[in-house]
Amino acid sequence: MKLTDKRFWIFEAFTIIYAGLLMLLGLIIFGKSLTGEIMLFIIAWCCITGAITWPFANRKHWFVFGLIYEVIFIILLSAYLMIDGLNRGLLDWIDFEMCVAFVLPIAIVCFIPSMILAFVGYHLFNKNITNKEKLQ
């Protein structure tokens, strides 16, 4: 992965838009706005997920790209919750089950937006690649 790759930065911009849509979806579902800290956390979380996903899924089919993004997204969320629980001394098996019960609905709700992000990104990048190939 090169940091000069414009496609990577376009994808990261899409992950910021994706984070905004997730926050909007949360506002619609729960009816409460998020604090600034949580908004920054979600945006950073989506960008980190995108940066990890890019080297693994670059140039793969959009569905595979979306699945890899979603899996990394959920793994990072689970790891964060586990580390936070360990740091607070609150983690035991009951909390582990509650964590799984908390993460599963998030995974289900985020699945469709992740697939939309992957589909749009894939077709945007394929369009750019085919246009460059036509010019050469």
Side-chain angles (χ1 to χ4, degrees), residues 48-129:
I48 290 168
T49 302
I52 294 170
T53 302
W54 185 261
F56 290 116
N58 189 17
R59 303 201 191 268
K60 293 197 175 26
H61 190 270
W62 68 268
F63 190 75
V64 174
F65 196 97
L67 285 177
I68 292 171
Y69 184 89
E70 183 70 16
V71 167
I72 292 172
F73 187 82
I74 297 304
I75 287 171
L76 288 178
L77 175 63
S78 300
Y80 171 76
L81 292 174
M82 294 297 167
I83 291 169
D84 187 51
L86 288 172
N87 283 340
R88 294 176 188 226
L90 302 173
L91 194 63
D92 58 14
W93 284 109
I94 295 172
D95 291 330
F96 177 75
E97 291 171 0
M98 288 178 63
C99 180
V100 171
F102 177 71
V103 170
L104 187 61
I106 291 174
I108 293 168
V109 168
C110 293
F111 181 76
I112 292 174
S114 292
M115 292 299 118
I116 292 170
L117 172 69
F119 181 79
V120 170
Y122 177 80
H123 288 293
L124 177 71
F125 297 142
N126 262 354
K127 182 179 176 183
N128 288 340
I129 290 170

Coordinates of all heavy atoms in Angstrom, one line a residue, residues 48-129:
I48 N -9.6 3.4 10.4 CA -8.6 2.3 10.7 C -9.0 1.0 10.1 O -8.2 0.3 9.5 CB -8.4 2.2 12.2 CG1 -7.7 3.5 12.8 CG2 -7.7 1.0 12.6 CD1 -7.8 3.6 14.3
T49 N -10.3 0.7 10.1 CA -10.8 -0.5 9.5 C -10.5 -0.4 8.0 O -10.1 -1.4 7.4 CB -12.3 -0.6 9.7 OG1 -12.6 -0.7 11.1 CG2 -12.9 -1.9 9.1
G50 N -10.8 0.7 7.4 CA -10.5 0.8 5.9 C -9.0 0.7 5.6 O -8.6 0.0 4.6
A51 N -8.1 1.2 6.5 CA -6.7 1.1 6.2 C -6.2 -0.3 6.4 O -5.3 -0.7 5.7 CB -5.9 2.0 7.2
I52 N -6.8 -1.1 7.3 CA -6.4 -2.5 7.4 C -7.0 -3.3 6.3 O -6.4 -4.2 5.8 CB -6.9 -3.0 8.8 CG1 -6.2 -2.3 9.9 CG2 -6.8 -4.5 8.9 CD1 -6.8 -2.6 11.3
T53 N -8.2 -3.0 5.9 CA -8.9 -3.7 4.8 C -8.2 -3.6 3.5 O -8.1 -4.5 2.7 CB -10.4 -3.3 4.7 OG1 -11.0 -3.5 6.0 CG2 -11.1 -4.1 3.6
W54 N -7.7 -2.4 3.2 CA -7.2 -2.0 1.8 C -6.1 -3.0 1.4 O -6.2 -3.5 0.2 CB -6.7 -0.6 1.8 CG -6.3 -0.2 0.5 CD1 -5.0 -0.1 0.0 CD2 -7.1 0.2 -0.6 NE1 -5.0 0.3 -1.3 CE2 -6.3 0.5 -1.7 CE3 -8.5 0.4 -0.8 CZ2 -6.8 1.0 -2.9 CZ3 -9.0 0.9 -2.0 CH2 -8.1 1.1 -3.0
P55 N -5.1 -3.3 2.1 CA -4.0 -4.2 1.6 C -4.6 -5.6 1.4 O -4.1 -6.3 0.5 CB -3.0 -4.2 2.7 CG -3.3 -3.1 3.6 CD -4.7 -2.7 3.4
F56 N -5.5 -6.1 2.3 CA -6.0 -7.4 2.1 C -7.0 -7.6 1.0 O -7.0 -8.7 0.3 CB -6.8 -7.9 3.4 CG -5.9 -8.1 4.6 CD1 -6.0 -7.2 5.7 CD2 -4.9 -9.0 4.6 CE1 -5.1 -7.4 6.8 CE2 -4.1 -9.2 5.7 CZ -4.2 -8.4 6.8
A57 N -7.8 -6.6 0.7 CA -8.9 -6.8 -0.2 C -8.8 -6.0 -1.5 O -9.7 -6.0 -2.3 CB -10.2 -6.4 0.5
N58 N -7.7 -5.2 -1.7 CA -7.6 -4.4 -2.9 C -7.6 -5.3 -4.1 O -7.0 -6.3 -4.2 CB -6.2 -3.7 -2.8 CG -6.1 -2.6 -3.9 OD1 -7.1 -2.2 -4.5 ND2 -4.9 -2.2 -4.1
R59 N -8.4 -4.9 -5.1 CA -8.6 -5.5 -6.4 C -9.3 -6.8 -6.3 O -9.3 -7.6 -7.2 CB -7.2 -5.7 -7.1 CG -6.5 -4.4 -7.3 CD -5.5 -4.5 -8.4 NE -4.6 -3.4 -8.4 CZ -4.9 -2.3 -9.2 NH1 -5.9 -2.2 -9.9 NH2 -4.0 -1.3 -9.1
K60 N -10.0 -7.1 -5.2 CA -10.8 -8.3 -5.1 C -12.3 -7.9 -5.5 O -12.6 -6.7 -5.6 CB -10.8 -8.9 -3.8 CG -9.4 -9.5 -3.4 CD -9.5 -10.4 -2.3 CE -8.2 -11.1 -1.9 NZ -6.9 -10.6 -2.3
H61 N -13.1 -8.9 -5.7 CA -14.6 -8.6 -6.0 C -15.2 -7.8 -4.8 O -14.8 -7.9 -3.7 CB -15.3 -9.9 -6.1 CG -16.7 -9.8 -6.6 ND1 -17.8 -9.6 -5.8 CD2 -17.1 -9.8 -7.9 CE1 -18.8 -9.5 -6.5 NE2 -18.5 -9.6 -7.8
W62 N -16.1 -6.9 -5.2 CA -16.7 -6.0 -4.2 C -17.3 -6.7 -3.0 O -17.2 -6.2 -1.9 CB -17.7 -5.0 -4.9 CG -18.9 -5.7 -5.4 CD1 -19.2 -6.2 -6.6 CD2 -20.1 -5.9 -4.6 NE1 -20.5 -6.7 -6.6 CE2 -21.1 -6.6 -5.4 CE3 -20.5 -5.6 -3.3 CZ2 -22.3 -6.9 -5.0 CZ3 -21.8 -6.0 -2.8 CH2 -22.7 -6.6 -3.7
F63 N -17.9 -7.9 -3.3 CA -18.6 -8.6 -2.1 C -17.5 -9.1 -1.2 O -17.7 -9.0 0.1 CB -19.4 -9.7 -2.7 CG -20.3 -10.3 -1.6 CD1 -21.4 -9.7 -1.2 CD2 -20.0 -11.6 -1.1 CE1 -22.2 -10.3 -0.2 CE2 -20.8 -12.1 -0.1 CZ -21.9 -11.5 0.3
V64 N -16.4 -9.6 -1.7 CA -15.3 -10.1 -0.8 C -14.7 -8.9 -0.1 O -14.4 -9.0 1.1 CB -14.2 -10.8 -1.7 CG1 -13.0 -11.1 -0.8 CG2 -14.8 -12.0 -2.3
F65 N -14.5 -7.8 -0.8 CA -14.0 -6.5 -0.1 C -14.9 -6.1 1.0 O -14.5 -5.8 2.1 CB -14.0 -5.4 -1.2 CG -13.1 -4.3 -0.8 CD1 -11.8 -4.2 -1.2 CD2 -13.6 -3.3 0.0 CE1 -11.0 -3.1 -0.8 CE2 -12.9 -2.2 0.4 CZ -11.6 -2.1 0.0
G66 N -16.3 -6.1 0.8 CA -17.2 -5.8 1.8 C -17.2 -6.7 3.0 O -17.3 -6.3 4.2
L67 N -17.1 -8.0 2.7 CA -17.0 -9.0 3.8 C -15.8 -8.8 4.7 O -15.8 -8.9 5.9 CB -17.1 -10.4 3.3 CG -18.4 -10.9 2.8 CD1 -18.3 -12.3 2.2 CD2 -19.5 -10.9 3.9
I68 N -14.6 -8.6 4.0 CA -13.4 -8.4 4.8 C -13.5 -7.1 5.6 O -13.1 -7.1 6.8 CB -12.2 -8.3 3.8 CG1 -12.0 -9.7 3.2 CG2 -10.9 -7.9 4.5 CD1 -10.9 -9.7 2.1
Y69 N -14.1 -6.1 5.0 CA -14.3 -4.8 5.8 C -15.2 -5.1 7.0 O -14.8 -4.6 8.1 CB -14.9 -3.7 4.9 CG -15.0 -2.4 5.6 CD1 -14.0 -1.5 5.5 CD2 -16.2 -2.1 6.3 CE1 -14.1 -0.3 6.2 CE2 -16.3 -0.9 6.9 CZ -15.3 0.0 6.9 OH -15.4 1.2 7.5
E70 N -16.3 -5.8 6.8 CA -17.2 -6.0 7.9 C -16.6 -6.9 9.0 O -16.7 -6.6 10.2 CB -18.5 -6.7 7.4 CG -19.5 -7.0 8.4 CD -20.2 -5.7 8.9 OE1 -20.1 -4.6 8.2 OE2 -20.9 -5.8 9.9
V71 N -15.8 -7.9 8.6 CA -15.2 -8.8 9.6 C -14.1 -8.0 10.4 O -14.1 -8.1 11.7 CB -14.5 -10.0 8.9 CG1 -13.6 -10.7 9.8 CG2 -15.6 -10.9 8.4
I72 N -13.3 -7.2 9.8 CA -12.3 -6.4 10.5 C -13.0 -5.4 11.4 O -12.6 -5.1 12.5 CB -11.4 -5.7 9.5 CG1 -10.5 -6.8 8.9 CG2 -10.5 -4.7 10.2 CD1 -9.6 -6.3 7.7
F73 N -14.1 -4.8 10.9 CA -14.9 -3.8 11.6 C -15.4 -4.4 12.9 O -15.2 -3.9 14.0 CB -16.1 -3.4 10.7 CG -17.0 -2.3 11.3 CD1 -16.6 -1.0 11.1 CD2 -18.2 -2.6 11.8 CE1 -17.4 0.0 11.5 CE2 -19.0 -1.6 12.3 CZ -18.6 -0.3 12.1
I74 N -15.9 -5.6 12.9 CA -16.5 -6.3 14.0 C -15.4 -6.8 15.0 O -15.5 -6.7 16.2 CB -17.4 -7.5 13.6 CG1 -18.6 -6.9 12.9 CG2 -17.8 -8.3 14.8 CD1 -19.4 -5.8 13.6
I75 N -14.3 -7.3 14.4 CA -13.1 -7.7 15.2 C -12.6 -6.5 16.0 O -12.3 -6.7 17.2 CB -12.0 -8.4 14.3 CG1 -12.5 -9.8 13.9 CG2 -10.7 -8.5 15.1 CD1 -11.6 -10.4 12.8
L76 N -12.4 -5.4 15.4 CA -11.9 -4.2 16.1 C -12.9 -3.8 17.2 O -12.4 -3.4 18.3 CB -11.7 -3.1 15.1 CG -10.5 -3.2 14.2 CD1 -10.4 -2.0 13.3 CD2 -9.2 -3.3 15.0
L77 N -14.2 -3.8 16.9 CA -15.2 -3.5 18.0 C -15.1 -4.4 19.1 O -15.1 -4.0 20.3 CB -16.6 -3.5 17.4 CG -17.7 -3.2 18.4 CD1 -17.6 -1.8 19.0 CD2 -19.0 -3.4 17.7
S78 N -15.0 -5.7 18.8 CA -15.0 -6.7 19.9 C -13.7 -6.6 20.7 O -13.7 -6.7 22.0 CB -15.0 -8.1 19.3 OG -16.2 -8.3 18.6
A79 N -12.6 -6.4 20.0 CA -11.3 -6.2 20.7 C -11.4 -4.9 21.6 O -10.9 -5.0 22.8 CB -10.2 -6.1 19.7
Y80 N -11.9 -3.9 21.1 CA -12.0 -2.7 21.9 C -12.9 -2.9 23.2 O -12.5 -2.5 24.3 CB -12.6 -1.5 21.1 CG -13.0 -0.3 22.0 CD1 -12.0 0.5 22.4 CD2 -14.3 -0.1 22.4 CE1 -12.3 1.6 23.2 CE2 -14.6 1.0 23.2 CZ -13.6 1.8 23.6 OH -13.9 2.9 24.4
L81 N -14.0 -3.6 23.0 CA -14.9 -3.8 24.2 C -14.2 -4.8 25.2 O -14.3 -4.6 26.4 CB -16.2 -4.4 23.7 CG -17.1 -3.5 22.9 CD1 -18.3 -4.2 22.4 CD2 -17.5 -2.3 23.8
M82 N -13.5 -5.8 24.7 CA -12.8 -6.7 25.6 C -11.6 -6.0 26.4 O -11.5 -6.1 27.6 CB -12.2 -7.9 24.8 CG -13.2 -8.8 24.2 SD -14.2 -9.5 25.5 CE -15.5 -10.2 24.5
I83 N -10.9 -5.2 25.7 CA -9.8 -4.4 26.3 C -10.3 -3.4 27.3 O -9.8 -3.3 28.4 CB -8.9 -3.7 25.3 CG1 -8.1 -4.8 24.5 CG2 -7.9 -2.8 25.9 CD1 -7.4 -4.3 23.2
D84 N -11.4 -2.7 27.0 CA -12.0 -1.8 27.9 C -12.6 -2.5 29.1 O -12.4 -2.0 30.2 CB -13.2 -1.1 27.2 CG -13.7 0.1 28.0 OD1 -13.0 0.9 28.5 OD2 -15.0 0.1 28.2
G85 N -13.2 -3.7 28.9 CA -13.7 -4.5 30.1 C -12.5 -4.9 31.0 O -12.7 -4.9 32.2
L86 N -11.4 -5.4 30.4 CA -10.3 -5.8 31.2 C -9.7 -4.7 31.9 O -9.3 -4.8 33.1 CB -9.2 -6.5 30.3 CG -9.6 -7.8 29.7 CD1 -8.6 -8.3 28.7 CD2 -9.7 -8.9 30.8
N87 N -9.6 -3.5 31.3 CA -9.0 -2.3 32.0 C -9.8 -1.9 33.2 O -9.3 -1.4 34.2 CB -8.8 -1.2 31.0 CG -7.6 -1.4 30.1 OD1 -6.7 -2.1 30.4 ND2 -7.6 -0.6 29.0
R88 N -11.1 -2.0 33.0 CA -12.0 -1.6 34.1 C -12.2 -2.7 35.2 O -12.8 -2.4 36.2 CB -13.3 -1.2 33.6 CG -13.3 0.1 32.7 CD -14.6 0.4 32.1 NE -14.5 1.4 31.1 CZ -15.3 2.5 31.1 NH1 -16.3 2.6 31.9 NH2 -15.1 3.4 30.2
G89 N -11.7 -3.9 34.9 CA -11.8 -5.0 35.8 C -13.3 -5.5 35.8 O -13.7 -6.1 36.8
L90 N -14.0 -5.3 34.8 CA -15.4 -5.6 34.8 C -15.7 -6.9 34.0 O -16.8 -7.4 33.9 CB -16.2 -4.5 34.2 CG -16.2 -3.1 34.9 CD1 -16.9 -2.1 34.0 CD2 -16.7 -3.2 36.3
L91 N -14.7 -7.4 33.3 CA -14.9 -8.5 32.4 C -14.9 -9.8 33.1 O -14.0 -10.2 33.7 CB -13.8 -8.5 31.3 CG -14.1 -9.3 30.1 CD1 -15.3 -8.8 29.3 CD2 -12.9 -9.3 29.1
D92 N -16.0 -10.5 33.0 CA -16.2 -11.9 33.4 C -17.0 -12.6 32.3 O -17.3 -12.0 31.3 CB -16.7 -12.1 34.8 CG -18.1 -11.4 34.9 OD1 -18.7 -11.1 33.9 OD2 -18.5 -11.3 36.1
W93 N -17.4 -13.8 32.5 CA -18.2 -14.5 31.4 C -19.5 -13.9 31.1 O -20.0 -13.9 30.0 CB -18.3 -16.0 31.8 CG -17.1 -16.7 31.6 CD1 -16.2 -17.2 32.5 CD2 -16.4 -16.9 30.3 NE1 -15.1 -17.7 31.9 CE2 -15.2 -17.6 30.6 CE3 -16.8 -16.7 29.0 CZ2 -14.4 -18.0 29.5 CZ3 -15.9 -17.1 28.0 CH2 -14.7 -17.7 28.3
I94 N -20.2 -13.3 32.2 CA -21.5 -12.7 31.9 C -21.3 -11.4 31.0 O -22.0 -11.2 30.1 CB -22.1 -12.3 33.3 CG1 -22.5 -13.5 34.1 CG2 -23.4 -11.4 33.0 CD1 -23.0 -13.3 35.5
D95 N -20.2 -10.7 31.3 CA -19.9 -9.5 30.5 C -19.5 -9.9 29.1 O -19.8 -9.2 28.1 CB -18.8 -8.7 31.1 CG -19.3 -8.0 32.4 OD1 -20.5 -7.7 32.5 OD2 -18.5 -7.7 33.3
F96 N -18.8 -11.1 28.9 CA -18.5 -11.6 27.6 C -19.7 -11.9 26.8 O -19.8 -11.5 25.6 CB -17.6 -12.8 27.8 CG -17.2 -13.4 26.4 CD1 -16.2 -12.8 25.6 CD2 -17.8 -14.6 26.0 CE1 -15.9 -13.4 24.4 CE2 -17.5 -15.1 24.8 CZ -16.5 -14.5 24.0
E97 N -20.7 -12.5 27.4 CA -21.9 -12.8 26.7 C -22.7 -11.6 26.4 O -23.3 -11.5 25.3 CB -22.8 -13.8 27.6 CG -22.2 -15.1 27.7 CD -23.0 -16.0 28.8 OE1 -23.9 -15.5 29.4 OE2 -22.6 -17.1 28.9
M98 N -22.6 -10.6 27.3 CA -23.3 -9.3 27.0 C -22.6 -8.6 25.8 O -23.2 -7.9 25.0 CB -23.3 -8.4 28.2 CG -24.3 -8.9 29.3 SD -24.3 -7.9 30.7 CE -24.8 -6.3 30.1
C99 N -21.3 -8.7 25.8 CA -20.5 -8.1 24.7 C -20.9 -8.7 23.3 O -21.1 -8.0 22.4 CB -19.0 -8.3 25.0 SG -18.0 -7.5 23.7
V100 N -21.0 -10.0 23.3 CA -21.4 -10.7 22.1 C -22.8 -10.3 21.7 O -23.1 -10.1 20.5 CB -21.3 -12.3 22.3 CG1 -21.9 -13.0 21.1 CG2 -19.8 -12.7 22.4
A101 N -23.7 -10.2 22.7 CA -25.1 -9.8 22.5 C -25.1 -8.3 22.0 O -26.0 -8.0 21.2 CB -25.9 -9.9 23.7
F102 N -24.2 -7.5 22.3 CA -24.1 -6.1 21.9 C -23.5 -6.0 20.5 O -24.0 -5.2 19.7 CB -23.2 -5.3 22.9 CG -23.0 -3.9 22.5 CD1 -24.1 -3.0 22.6 CD2 -21.8 -3.4 22.1 CE1 -23.9 -1.7 22.2 CE2 -21.6 -2.1 21.7 CZ -22.6 -1.2 21.8
V103 N -22.5 -6.8 20.2 CA -21.8 -6.7 18.9 C -22.6 -7.4 17.8 O -22.6 -6.9 16.7 CB -20.4 -7.4 19.0 CG1 -19.8 -7.6 17.7 CG2 -19.5 -6.6 19.9
L104 N -23.4 -8.4 18.0 CA -24.1 -9.1 17.0 C -25.1 -8.2 16.3 O -25.2 -8.1 15.1 CB -24.8 -10.3 17.6 CG -25.5 -11.2 16.6 CD1 -24.5 -11.8 15.5 CD2 -26.2 -12.4 17.3
P105 N -26.0 -7.4 17.0 CA -26.9 -6.5 16.3 C -26.1 -5.4 15.5 O -26.6 -5.0 14.4 CB -27.7 -5.9 17.4 CG -27.6 -6.8 18.6 CD -26.3 -7.4 18.5
I106 N -25.0 -5.0 16.0 CA -24.2 -4.0 15.3 C -23.7 -4.6 14.0 O -23.8 -4.0 12.9 CB -23.1 -3.5 16.1 CG1 -23.6 -2.6 17.3 CG2 -22.1 -2.7 15.3 CD1 -22.6 -2.1 18.3
A107 N -23.3 -5.9 14.0 CA -22.8 -6.5 12.8 C -24.0 -6.7 11.8 O -23.8 -6.5 10.6 CB -22.3 -7.9 13.2
I108 N -25.1 -7.0 12.3 CA -26.3 -7.2 11.4 C -26.7 -5.8 10.8 O -26.9 -5.7 9.6 CB -27.5 -7.8 12.2 CG1 -27.1 -9.3 12.5 CG2 -28.7 -7.8 11.3 CD1 -28.1 -9.9 13.5
V109 N -26.7 -4.8 11.6 CA -27.1 -3.5 11.1 C -26.1 -2.9 10.1 O -26.4 -2.3 9.1 CB -27.4 -2.5 12.3 CG1 -27.5 -1.1 11.8 CG2 -28.6 -2.9 13.0
C110 N -24.8 -3.1 10.4 CA -23.7 -2.6 9.6 C -23.5 -3.4 8.3 O -22.7 -2.9 7.4 CB -22.5 -2.5 10.4 SG -22.6 -1.3 11.7
F111 N -24.0 -4.6 8.2 CA -23.7 -5.4 7.0 C -24.1 -4.8 5.7 O -23.3 -4.7 4.8 CB -24.4 -6.8 7.2 CG -24.1 -7.7 6.1 CD1 -22.8 -8.3 6.0 CD2 -25.0 -8.0 5.1 CE1 -22.5 -9.2 4.9 CE2 -24.7 -8.8 4.0 CZ -23.5 -9.4 3.9
I112 N -25.4 -4.3 5.6 CA -25.8 -3.7 4.4 C -25.1 -2.4 4.0 O -24.6 -2.3 2.9 CB -27.4 -3.5 4.4 CG1 -28.1 -4.9 4.4 CG2 -27.8 -2.7 3.2 CD1 -29.5 -4.8 4.6
P113 N -24.9 -1.5 5.0 CA -24.0 -0.3 4.6 C -22.6 -0.7 4.2 O -22.1 0.0 3.3 CB -24.0 0.5 5.9 CG -25.3 0.2 6.6 CD -25.5 -1.3 6.3
S114 N -22.0 -1.7 4.8 CA -20.7 -2.2 4.4 C -20.7 -2.7 2.9 O -19.8 -2.4 2.2 CB -20.2 -3.3 5.3 OG -19.9 -2.8 6.6
M115 N -21.7 -3.4 2.6 CA -21.8 -3.9 1.2 C -22.1 -2.8 0.2 O -21.5 -2.8 -0.9 CB -23.0 -4.9 1.1 CG -22.7 -6.2 1.8 SD -21.3 -7.1 1.2 CE -20.3 -7.1 2.7
I116 N -22.8 -1.8 0.6 CA -23.0 -0.6 -0.3 C -21.7 0.1 -0.5 O -21.4 0.5 -1.6 CB -24.1 0.3 0.3 CG1 -25.5 -0.4 0.2 CG2 -24.2 1.6 -0.4 CD1 -26.6 0.3 1.0
L117 N -21.0 0.3 0.6 CA -19.7 1.0 0.5 C -18.8 0.2 -0.4 O -18.1 0.8 -1.3 CB -19.0 1.1 1.9 CG -17.6 1.6 2.0 CD1 -17.5 3.0 1.6 CD2 -17.0 1.3 3.4
A118 N -18.7 -1.1 -0.3 CA -17.8 -1.9 -1.1 C -18.3 -1.9 -2.6 O -17.5 -1.8 -3.5 CB -17.8 -3.4 -0.6
F119 N -19.6 -1.9 -2.8 CA -20.2 -1.9 -4.2 C -19.8 -0.6 -4.9 O -19.3 -0.6 -6.0 CB -21.7 -2.2 -4.1 CG -22.3 -2.2 -5.5 CD1 -22.2 -3.3 -6.3 CD2 -23.0 -1.1 -6.0 CE1 -22.8 -3.4 -7.5 CE2 -23.6 -1.1 -7.2 CZ -23.5 -2.3 -8.0
V120 N -20.1 0.5 -4.2 CA -19.9 1.8 -4.8 C -18.4 2.0 -5.1 O -18.0 2.4 -6.1 CB -20.4 2.9 -3.9 CG1 -20.0 4.3 -4.4 CG2 -22.0 2.9 -3.9
G121 N -17.6 1.7 -4.1 CA -16.1 1.8 -4.2 C -15.6 1.0 -5.3 O -14.7 1.4 -6.1
Y122 N -16.0 -0.3 -5.4 CA -15.5 -1.2 -6.5 C -15.8 -0.6 -7.9 O -15.0 -0.6 -8.7 CB -16.2 -2.6 -6.3 CG -15.8 -3.6 -7.3 CD1 -14.6 -4.2 -7.3 CD2 -16.6 -3.8 -8.4 CE1 -14.2 -5.1 -8.2 CE2 -16.3 -4.8 -9.4 CZ -15.1 -5.4 -9.3 OH -14.7 -6.3 -10.2
H123 N -17.1 -0.2 -8.1 CA -17.5 0.3 -9.4 C -16.8 1.6 -9.7 O -16.5 1.9 -10.9 CB -19.0 0.3 -9.5 CG -19.6 -1.0 -9.6 ND1 -19.3 -1.9 -10.7 CD2 -20.3 -1.8 -8.8 CE1 -20.0 -3.0 -10.5 NE2 -20.6 -3.0 -9.3
L124 N -16.6 2.4 -8.7 CA -15.9 3.7 -8.9 C -14.5 3.4 -9.4 O -14.0 4.0 -10.3 CB -15.9 4.5 -7.6 CG -15.1 5.9 -7.7 CD1 -15.9 6.8 -8.6 CD2 -15.0 6.4 -6.3
F125 N -13.8 2.5 -8.7 CA -12.4 2.2 -9.0 C -12.3 1.5 -10.3 O -11.4 1.7 -11.1 CB -11.7 1.4 -7.9 CG -11.6 2.2 -6.6 CD1 -11.8 1.5 -5.4 CD2 -11.4 3.5 -6.6 CE1 -11.8 2.2 -4.2 CE2 -11.4 4.2 -5.4 CZ -11.5 3.6 -4.2
N126 N -13.2 0.6 -10.6 CA -13.2 -0.1 -11.9 C -13.4 0.9 -13.1 O -12.8 0.7 -14.1 CB -14.3 -1.2 -12.0 CG -13.7 -2.6 -11.7 OD1 -12.5 -2.7 -11.5 ND2 -14.5 -3.5 -11.6
K127 N -14.3 1.8 -12.9 CA -14.5 2.8 -13.9 C -13.3 3.6 -14.1 O -12.9 3.9 -15.3 CB -15.7 3.8 -13.4 CG -16.1 4.8 -14.4 CD -17.2 5.7 -13.8 CE -17.5 6.8 -14.7 NZ -18.6 7.7 -14.1
N128 N -12.5 4.0 -13.1 CA -11.3 4.8 -13.3 C -10.2 3.9 -14.0 O -9.5 4.4 -14.8 CB -10.8 5.2 -11.9 CG -11.6 6.4 -11.4 OD1 -12.3 7.1 -12.1 ND2 -11.5 6.6 -10.1
I129 N -10.1 2.6 -13.6 CA -9.1 1.7 -14.2 C -9.5 1.5 -15.7 O -8.6 1.6 -16.6 CB -9.1 0.4 -13.5 CG1 -8.4 0.6 -12.1 CG2 -8.3 -0.6 -14.3 CD1 -8.5 -0.6 -11.2

